[in-house]
Amino acid sequence: MIQPLEFSMAIAGRPKVYTTDQINDRFKALPKAIQKLDGAVIYEGFSPVLKKKIVVIISGMKGSSQNKKTGPMAQIDILIQDTHPVEAVKLGIDEAICGSCPLRGDICYVRTGHGPASKWRKYSVDGYERITPDQAGIILAKHGVTSRLGAYGDPAMIPFEIWQELLSSSGTGHTSYTHQWKQPWFDPRHLQISMASIDHENTVTQLQELHGEHVRYYRLVDSYENLLPGEIKCPSDSETRNEDGTRKITCAECGLC
C-alpha cells in the first residue's frame, strides 16, 4: 500500500503575451455562439497507447471552476470516447489516457465518478460544441483564466501541437505534468510545457539522463526533509492554510507547475 505523499517541485514562470486590445479584438472575431461557451471539445483522436479513441474536454473557460485547490482554472480532461471513466478503470483501459502512471486506479487522487464521469456523460449525448484549441485559448484570454492540462489524464497522450496551439493562443498560463517521459513513443517537446512527474518508481537521475539536467519536474517525497537542492514544497500544501482551512494560495495564483 502506498502511503500519502507530500509534494516538491522545481520552479519556472509563465509570462502573458497579449495586450488588452489584442485580446478584445480576437474575442470579437469569434462567432457569437462560441463566445458564450464555458466548455467544449477541443480534440478527438487516438491514444498512442492501446490505440483507443480519446477526447479532450475543456470546462470552466470563463473561470467558473469551483475546485478549491486549483482556484478558477479551466479544467481539461482526457477521456476515452466510448467508455465511462469508472468502467475504463475497472477494465484497465484507462492506460489509454493515463499511460504508465503508477498511481492509476484507486491510488489516483481523481475521483473518476465525479468530474470525469459528468463530462463523459455529456459528451456521450453530443452535449459539447467542438471548437479549435485556438478558439478555446481566445476565450481563456478574454476572461483571464489559466488552464489545468490533464485535470484527468496525462497531457502527453495528446499531440504536442494541440497544447501548443491552446497555450500560445491564451497567453494566460497553465499547469501540467506528465508521467510518460520514459516511454519510447514520448514526444520530449511536452517537457517544454509539462513538468516531469517523479514518483516512487522513478528518480531525478533517470529523468536527467534521458532529457537533460534542466528539465523541470514535480517529485513525490516521503518528507520535506528530503528535498533536493533547487526544490521547494508545494505552496498550496495542506500545511500552509489559513485558520478557516482555506488555502493561502491556489494553483491559479501560483502557476509554478
Side-chain angles (χ1 to χ4, degrees):
M1 179 178 179
I2 298 178
Q3 298 298 318
L5 298 172
E6 297 170 320
F7 296 94
S8 64
M9 58 189 179
I11 306 174
R14 306 242 184 253
K16 292 188 177 182
V17 295
Y18 293 108
T19 66
T20 300
D21 287 342
Q22 288 174 325
I23 290 171
N24 289 334
D25 289 343
R26 294 167 73 230
F27 185 75
K28 289 177 182 178
L30 291 176
K32 296 294 184 182
I34 291 180
Q35 291 180 15
K36 298 177 181 178
L37 295 177
D38 190 52
V41 168
I42 60 172
Y43 174 77
E44 291 169 296
F46 286 89
S47 167
V49 179
L50 304 183
K51 301 305 178 183
K52 290 285 185 181
K53 290 183 178 180
I54 57 178
V55 56
V56 178
I57 301 173
I58 184 170
S59 63
M61 290 188 288
K62 296 181 179 180
S64 60
S65 173
Q66 299 300 311
N67 188 309
K68 293 181 180 180
K69 181 181 188 300
T70 66
M73 300 183 76
Q75 308 290 321
I76 305 179
D77 291 70
I78 305 165
L79 306 173
I80 298 175
Q81 290 186 28
D82 62 0
T83 309
H84 189 288
V86 174
E87 185 67 14
V89 172
K90 290 180 180 178
L91 295 173
I93 61 174
D94 58 327
E95 183 181 358
I97 54 173
C98 296
S100 61
C101 177
L103 306 180
R104 280 171 46 209
D106 294 337
I107 301 172
C108 181
Y109 64 89
V110 178
R111 297 295 174 256
T112 54
H114 296 162
S118 177
K119 288 186 177 181
W120 183 85
R121 286 192 295 269
K122 184 173 180 178
Y123 173 77
S124 68
V125 295
D126 203 25
Y128 286 105
E129 296 290 333
R130 288 163 174 77
I131 63 176
T132 67
D134 176 66
Q135 290 171 327
I138 291 171
I139 297 172
L140 293 173
K142 174 62 178 178
H143 296 283
V145 177
T146 57
S147 52
R148 181 187 178 201
L149 279 57
Y152 180 54
D154 193 302
M157 314 308 282
I158 306 303
F160 172 78
E161 289 80 7
I162 299 299
W163 301 127
Q164 184 180 46
E165 182 179 338
L166 174 74
L167 299 176
S168 63
S169 179
S170 72
T172 53
H174 71 286
T175 62
S176 179
Y177 59 91
T178 177
H179 285 266
Q180 310 310 311
W181 50 270
K182 291 173 66 175
Q183 300 306 309
W185 50 263
F186 177 71
D187 183 345
R189 292 181 298 169
H190 280 285
L191 294 176
Q192 299 174 22
I193 60 173
S194 296
M195 299 185 90
S197 181
I198 306 292
D199 49 56
H200 60 285
E201 295 185 358
N202 305 300
T203 67
V204 175
T205 299
Q206 290 173 329
L207 172 67
Q208 293 177 340
E209 287 177 347
L210 282 173
H211 298 289
E213 62 181 26
H214 299 298
V215 175
R216 299 177 61 242
Y217 61 86
Y218 193 103
R219 185 169 69 92
L220 298 171
V221 294
D222 296 312
S223 169
Y224 285 134
E225 295 179 358
N226 297 327
L227 295 184
L228 299 174
E231 294 181 343
I232 64 169
K233 69 177 183 178
C234 173
S236 186
D237 182 81
S238 59
E239 294 180 358
T240 54
R241 296 198 182 192
N242 297 309
E243 292 183 1
D244 62 359
T246 58
R247 297 177 186 271
K248 290 186 177 180
I249 185 169
T250 64
C251 299
E253 295 166 328
C254 176
L256 294 181
C257 288

